[in-house]
Amino acid sequence: MKLSAIHENIFRRLGIDRLNAMQLATSEFSLPGKLMLLAPTGSGKTIAFVIPLLKALKSPQGHVQAVVMAPSRELVLQIAEIIRSVAGPDYKTTAFYGGHSMQEEQRSVEGGIPDIVVATPGRLLDHLRRGSLSLHEVRTLVLDEFDKSLELGFRDEMSRVAGRMRGVETLILTSATAIAELPDFVPAKGLRDLDFRGKGEAAPLPRLRVHSVASDKKDKLEDLDLLLRQITTDSGGEAVRTMVFVNHRESAERVYNYLIREGYPAALYHGGLEQADREKAVAMFGNGSAPVLVSTDLGARGLDVDGVGAIVHYHLPLQAETWTHRNGRTARMGAEGDVYVLLAPEEATPEFVDADLTDALELAPTPGAVPAARMQTLHVNAGRKDKISKGDIAGYFMKQAGLRPDELGAIELKDHQAYVAVPAGRGREIIAALAPHKLKNKKVRVTQLR
């Protein structure tokens, strides 16, 4: 692709006004070449590696030209969505990940070989073993969150997949930390470093404030409630998008159930949930239907939701790296954000937490109101692979349900379903208005998510 077209699509389709220094640097990176991109969470590195990846593409060739491997299904889905937006309809981008139907992925390949594959290492290796895909013609390979992939034990899978790609000319690795020794399957010769960890201007410097919050109870649930009532409504009355981090799945369930009983519009996110339930949680959090997300550290990496205004550490992170990645969900791309560390009696802060504390926040003696969600989410049982686009869904809701463009919220399109944000309290009315009508000559079912 031409660089000018890539930049234009980034500005127009992703709504970005300008590229940051890191993205400009990767735009100018000479191809073919090998690059190690070191950058902190929230600095815009996905767009930074997508630019040279697309720049290296030739016109569609009938075979896979580029592969991106990432350590989690959530990250795979987000990367694939960005690539689809920037590459446009001329290039087919396919996502492979565990928890997704293998048969459906195979049918997708049979319906047309993708130009770009974004995948978790294990699932991609599974496709290669089954013979459903060939990577012999791949010329561009990106290993995103390479440090995390090694940490999670994907070294062998990545090595086996890389062994099927003998003609790679452009190699890009991204990492939040320096890697002391590269594995054998990564050719170190000619590898150029671009280090934006606190150097240069990968993004405007974030304004991150870190507050300690003392709880006088060993069980901190009641004080978490007080804290959320105090911080989760902004001056304009909007609910502040807030992530509450805990260390265990059982704790996440317990905290989530408590908040639901108290009337919070909350969502739950952890590795024990079905993929569909995690997708629903992210959709509702991202579109404002559930402005509080209770999450394990699965959400600390790869979960990229715009506009997260606050992070609450209900449990202290066990490692400095986890602390950094949790906090990286807010104050992204130069925005402001607040971090709250909820401390039980005699609970000591690790040095890596204590060093970042800005001030102490006292809990209000009287509880405020539970923040209200401005939007609610409707589920449509048709998606991308049913030949439905976001534009089709927007037109359907505006024409048949009478919604104005400014009333229709985010539309998240999946393979066979879509999540649509509409004004809170109007779900039943909208569903009733849509019921007699077809979407693009297809009878669909629209339901409320709770």
Side-chain angles (χ1 to χ4, degrees):
M1 284 185 70
K2 290 185 178 180
L3 184 59
S4 58
I6 297 169
H7 286 176
E8 181 184 349
N9 289 349
I10 289 172
F11 299 143
R12 182 162 52 89
R13 296 175 180 168
L14 300 183
I16 292 173
D17 295 329
R18 65 183 181 89
L19 300 180
N20 62 38
M22 176 173 58
Q23 293 156 358
L24 289 172
T26 58
S27 296
E28 297 166 1
F29 183 65
S30 297
L31 299 176
K34 299 170 186 174
L35 177 65
M36 170 69 83
L37 183 60
L38 297 167
T41 298
S43 58
K45 70 177 183 305
T46 301
I47 292 174
F49 74 69
V50 165
I51 292 172
L53 180 152
L54 296 180
K55 187 178 166 186
L57 288 184
K58 298 178 181 178
S59 60
Q61 304 287 304
H63 57 72
V64 182
Q65 297 190 55
V67 168
V68 181
M69 281 192 279
S72 72
R73 67 192 80 182
E74 288 78 16
L75 194 52
V76 163
L77 288 167
Q78 289 169 9
I79 293 168
E81 193 63 33
I82 289 174
I83 291 177
R84 287 190 188 107
S85 296
V86 181
D90 291 341
Y91 293 94
K92 181 179 179 181
T93 302
T94 300
F96 296 150
Y97 52 92
H100 193 216
S101 166
M102 172 60 79
Q103 290 72 27
E104 188 167 300
E105 291 180 358
Q106 289 176 316
R107 284 196 298 269
S108 174
V109 174
E110 291 166 1
I113 302 297
D115 303 284
I116 306 161
V117 171
V118 186
T120 52
R123 177 51 67 96
L124 185 52
L125 183 60
D126 201 0
H127 276 283
L128 296 177
R129 285 170 172 163
R130 291 168 184 249
S132 55
L133 194 70
S134 170
L135 302 181
H136 293 309
E137 302 295 329
V138 170
R139 295 294 177 264
T140 301
L141 172 62
V142 177
L143 302 176
D144 190 33
E145 299 275 12
F146 188 54
D147 53 339
K148 185 65 174 179
S149 295
L150 293 175
E151 178 188 321
L152 292 174
F154 291 133
R155 179 189 298 252
D156 183 59
E157 287 92 340
M158 288 190 294
S159 176
R160 290 174 183 270
V161 172
R164 303 287 188 100
M165 295 180 277
R166 299 295 186 182
V168 170
E169 298 171 344
T170 296
L171 173 67
I172 302 172
L173 292 79
T174 81
S175 177
T177 58
I179 298 168
E181 185 177 349
L182 291 172
D184 293 340
F185 67 89
V186 176
K189 186 177 180 181
L191 187 66
R192 176 185 166 192
D193 282 358
L194 275 181
D195 191 347
F196 282 89
R197 297 170 302 162
K199 300 176 183 178
E201 298 177 63
L205 287 175
R207 297 177 61 184
L208 186 65
R209 299 167 292 265
V210 185
H211 318 274
S212 62
V213 183
S215 170
D216 60 3
K217 306 173 185 67
K218 187 175 181 180
D219 184 343
K220 299 181 282 189
L221 282 174
E222 290 182 9
D223 285 335
L224 173 65
D225 180 20
L226 287 175
L227 175 63
L228 290 176
R229 290 172 189 258
Q230 190 168 332
I231 68 173
T232 54
T233 303
D234 65 19
S235 57
E238 293 282 334
V240 174
R241 204 163 288 157
T242 302
M243 293 186 73
V244 179
F245 279 106
V246 298
N247 287 346
H248 309 287
R249 294 176 183 178
E250 296 78 8
S251 302
E253 296 275 356
R254 180 169 176 267
V255 171
Y256 166 75
N257 288 328
Y258 174 83
L259 294 179
I260 291 296
R261 288 196 300 272
E262 294 299 313
Y264 281 88
L268 176 66
Y269 187 84
H270 63 67
L273 298 172
E274 294 293 330
Q275 173 67 14
D277 291 327
R278 295 209 297 272
E279 287 182 358
K280 290 176 187 176
V282 174
M284 294 175 70
F285 182 56
N287 67 26
S289 298
V292 177
L293 181 69
V294 181
S295 176
T296 60
D297 287 324
L298 179 66
R301 278 220 196 210
L303 196 59
D304 189 1
V305 176
D306 290 337
V308 177
I311 300 296
V312 176
H313 296 271
Y314 183 80
H315 289 150
L316 286 167
L318 302 178
Q319 298 176 332
E321 185 180 9
T322 305
W323 166 255
T324 299
H325 284 288
R326 284 183 182 183
N327 295 344
R329 299 308 98 199
T330 188
R332 298 174 71 82
M333 296 297 290
E336 295 186 357
D338 287 280
V339 172
Y340 301 90
V341 184
L342 192 58
L343 296 167
E346 300 180 1
E347 192 172 18
T349 56
E351 287 186 9
F352 57 81
V353 172
D354 194 52
D356 288 341
L357 290 176
T358 306
D359 56 36
L361 178 75
E362 290 190 14
L363 293 172
T366 55
V370 170
R374 185 175 60 86
M375 308 297 285
Q376 70 179 99
T377 300
L378 300 185
H379 175 266
V380 182
N381 67 336
R384 184 183 296 112
K385 294 196 174 177
D386 303 299
K387 308 301 182 184
I388 302 295
S389 70
K390 288 185 180 181
D392 294 329
I393 292 174
Y396 180 59
F397 274 71
M398 289 188 286
K399 180 180 179 181
Q400 309 300 353
L403 284 175
R404 301 190 310 271
D406 63 322
E407 292 178 314
L408 189 61
I411 299 172
E412 188 157 344
L413 195 63
K414 302 297 182 182
D415 285 349
H416 294 293
Q417 57 194 335
Y419 304 106
V420 185
V422 299
R426 293 186 58 187
R428 289 185 180 179
E429 164 205 333
I430 292 168
I431 290 171
L434 294 174
H437 304 284
K438 293 183 177 180
L439 169 59
K440 209 175 177 182
N441 295 321
K442 177 182 175 66
K443 185 65 176 175
V444 296
R445 186 165 181 258
V446 183
T447 54
Q448 296 186 71
L449 286 188
R450 300 185 183 278

